[in-house]
Amino acid sequence: MVEAVAVQGPAGGSSAGRGGARRRRAALAALVAASALLYGTYSLMRLRAFRTGSYDLVIFDQAIRSYSRFGLPVAIVKGVHNDFGPDFSILGDHFSPLLALLAPLYWIHDGPATLLVAQAVLLALAIPPIWRYTERRLGARAAYCAAGAYALSWPIAEALAFDFHEVAFVPLLSALMVERHDAGRRLQAVAAAFALLLVKEDMGLLLAGFGLYLLTRPTGRGRQSRRSLRGLGDLRGLLPPGDRRAGLAYVAAGVAATWACSRVAVAAFGGDNDYYWAYGALGPDLPHAAVHAVTHPWDVLRVLGDPPQKLLTMALVLLPLLLLPLASPLTLTAVPLLAERMLASRFSNWWEPHYHYNAFIVAVLVLAAADGAARLRGRARFARGAPGRLPSAAPMAGILAVTVAFAPFFAYRHLADPALWRPNERVRAASAAVERIPDGALVEAANGLGPALTSRARVLLWDDRSHGAPWVIAQVERLEFPFASPAEQRRRVEGLKAEGYREVFQREGYVVLHKDVPDPW
């Protein structure tokens, strides 16, 4: 019965006429532009302040540069550090062919700043479908609140704080898939879903979750039946055959695509199918883990809460949305992708609130919050037998308020750091160290320096092994990935000197080393 009300349209009404529509379009465009400006400015200032890293910004920069030269997306920094070889294609790491769409941008400007700006625009473009979906349910004012809550959400902020990733495409495509299907534009929804499958090998899980949602959602004749037979109990049997077929098709396509991309495509490009297997607590491989999950369901629940950080992250995902996604079956869309991370027993970054992983599901959850608010409002109206007194925008306004309150506790807090805006001595020293590297040179660079070099040099990651590069830039005072401590970094520099490297620069912990050796590649 709630479904009938939730999908009828804006509960609070919206301005009619061309003038109102133009004002809404202008306001929405301004919100998109402001969000893109915020994202781009923050990302570029981080790049300028040497707060980005070779892992993963240089990986993607090298890959997109290869695409722009009509080759496979080779990232020498990834291949050498992870022992895949210097000609390793990142399609063997994550199956993300959609990244090739960014290659023409490198014909305009070749460098990591291009990726950061592109990501800013892509993330901001998820705002219009979020607005449209919410406006149909709760009105224009609620739609602006939902769009603002997405724009300022902590998962987006944390994704920006971890440089660039393929996640840049996901909020837009996932929001389009849901919103276009909801609007009755099924082919457009399918096109967005297909594009999602080209973003990353596990995006089929998002499609499978969406299919599960469709199996719960009456549309068309089913909705009208609920209106006319209101109060006659559970009417799930009235779900139209068309929506059942669509739901089953999404589930089947999602599961099949996930298997094909992760088990076939990745291996075809030189990857290791077991590289990201992180479910040792359930079994050594997928078949054993699946059987174990069915026969020992309590072990699944145990893994979901071990370590407790997983529970905290799941709470942080839902609490800023006032738990409203729990009132909507649309949340099923995000469940398989969330479970993929939370059932893992290694790769602890998967279940942290930091990094970019939560941005994969944030747009869907904002839409689910809007749907949940509409359902709860509809239930309250039916219970009273009269229109509810609660303004339709109130729940989404509450979400926006909580989102703003959460902002200082996540990545946006760095916007208040003066060092992000004004170069300090550390930044000046880093710039001076980078300038010592000749154009075109092969260099093993500390993680934080690679992005400043990748446009004009061939960058490897400085790690605990020598890779034969003539140039090395180290950092011995601040912790750098993948080392465990600055002391370990200092020992590594001493080891390089013992191998014949000579120090040509030292300042603020940055050390530039050089050795006359032939270029190995």
Side-chain angles (χ1 to χ4, degrees), residues 281-282 292 297-307 310:
L282 298 176
H292 187 93
W298 289 112
D299 285 353
V300 175
L301 295 178
R302 177 182 56 79
V303 172
L304 283 173
D306 182 20
K310 295 179 180 179

Side-chain angles (χ1 to χ4, degrees), residues 17 28 39 73 92 107 127 135 166 174 176 186 213 227 230 233 242 245 291 334 363 366 384 464 476 490:
L28 192 58
Y39 301 159
W107 304 337
I127 289 174
E135 194 270 343
E166 62 280 302
S174 60
L176 281 174
R186 304 301 170 82
Y213 158 66
R227 295 188 191 106
R230 191 174 298 152
R245 287 194 294 268
V291 171
V366 171
R384 285 192 294 267
D464 60 356
V476 297
R490 288 190 288 271

Side-chain angles (χ1 to χ4, degrees), residues 184-442:
R185 305 289 187 176
R186 304 301 170 82
L187 289 179
Q188 294 176 8
V190 169
F194 177 75
L196 272 172
L197 295 179
L198 304 180
V199 173
K200 196 164 174 273
E201 67 277 1
D202 59 354
M203 286 299 99
L205 298 178
L206 202 61
L207 269 65
F210 185 58
L212 294 176
Y213 158 66
L214 292 181
L215 293 175
T216 74
R217 179 177 182 261
T219 58
R221 178 166 46 83
R223 286 189 196 135
Q224 185 59 44
S225 299
R226 286 199 171 200
R227 295 188 191 106
S228 60
L229 298 176
R230 191 174 298 152
L232 295 185
D234 188 357
L235 300 176
R236 283 175 295 181
L238 296 174
L239 181 64
D243 240 32
R244 283 201 297 269
R245 287 194 294 268
L248 291 172
Y250 272 100
V251 171
V255 171
T258 299
W259 179 85
C261 292
S262 60
R263 306 302 298 178
V264 178
V266 166
F269 287 98
D272 179 356
N273 285 343
D274 297 320
Y275 189 79
Y276 288 109
W277 179 256
Y279 309 95
L282 298 176
D285 51 38
L286 182 58
H288 286 88
V291 171
H292 187 93
V294 172
T295 56
H296 300 82
W298 289 112
D299 285 353
V300 175
L301 295 178
R302 177 182 56 79
V303 172
L304 283 173
D306 182 20
Q309 180 68 48
K310 295 179 180 179
L311 300 177
L312 174 61
T313 296
M314 288 188 281
L316 287 173
V317 166
L318 291 173
L319 286 175
L321 298 173
L322 304 182
L323 302 181
L324 287 171
L326 299 181
S328 170
L330 181 58
T331 301
L332 289 170
T333 305
V335 168
L337 206 56
L338 188 62
E340 177 194 28
R341 294 162 48 211
M342 298 303 162
L343 289 175
S345 53
R346 65 187 184 100
F347 297 128
S348 61
N349 52 310
W350 287 8
W351 56 74
E352 291 283 339
H354 307 296
Y355 308 108
H356 59 293
Y357 300 105
N358 295 292
F360 282 101
I361 58 175
V362 64
V364 166
L365 291 179
V366 171
L367 297 178
D371 186 53
R375 289 167 179 270
L376 292 176
R377 187 172 187 273
R379 184 177 294 123
R381 291 176 63 184
F382 279 127
R384 285 192 294 267
R389 296 181 181 179
L390 182 68
S392 60
M396 307 315 292
I399 287 175
L400 177 57
V402 174
T403 298
V404 172
F406 266 61
F409 299 97
F410 290 93
Y412 286 141
R413 71 183 185 276
H414 299 302
L415 290 169
D417 182 359
L420 184 67
W421 304 95
R422 294 193 300 270
N424 54 23
E425 186 57 33
R426 182 190 68 84
V427 170
R428 286 189 284 269
S431 298
V434 165
E435 289 173 1
R436 299 300 298 267
I437 306 302
D439 290 350
L442 182 69

Side-chain angles (χ1 to χ4, degrees), residues 77-161:
V77 66
K78 173 74 175 179
V80 171
H81 175 65
N82 292 108
D83 295 323
F84 288 113
D87 298 321
F88 180 67
S89 163
I90 66 168
L91 293 173
D93 183 41
H94 292 303
F95 187 69
S96 306
L98 199 67
L99 290 171
L101 293 180
L102 301 178
L105 299 178
Y106 267 52
W107 304 337
I108 302 170
H109 181 272
D110 184 323
T114 298
L115 294 183
L116 298 178
V117 172
Q119 176 172 254
V121 173
L122 286 168
L123 291 175
L125 286 177
I127 289 174
I130 289 173
W131 189 95
R132 288 193 299 264
Y133 182 93
T134 306
E135 194 270 343
R136 282 198 293 270
R137 280 160 170 71
L138 297 169
R141 286 178 295 179
Y144 289 121
C145 291
Y150 160 80
L152 297 175
S153 64
W154 68 262
I156 295 298
E158 292 298 323
L160 294 169

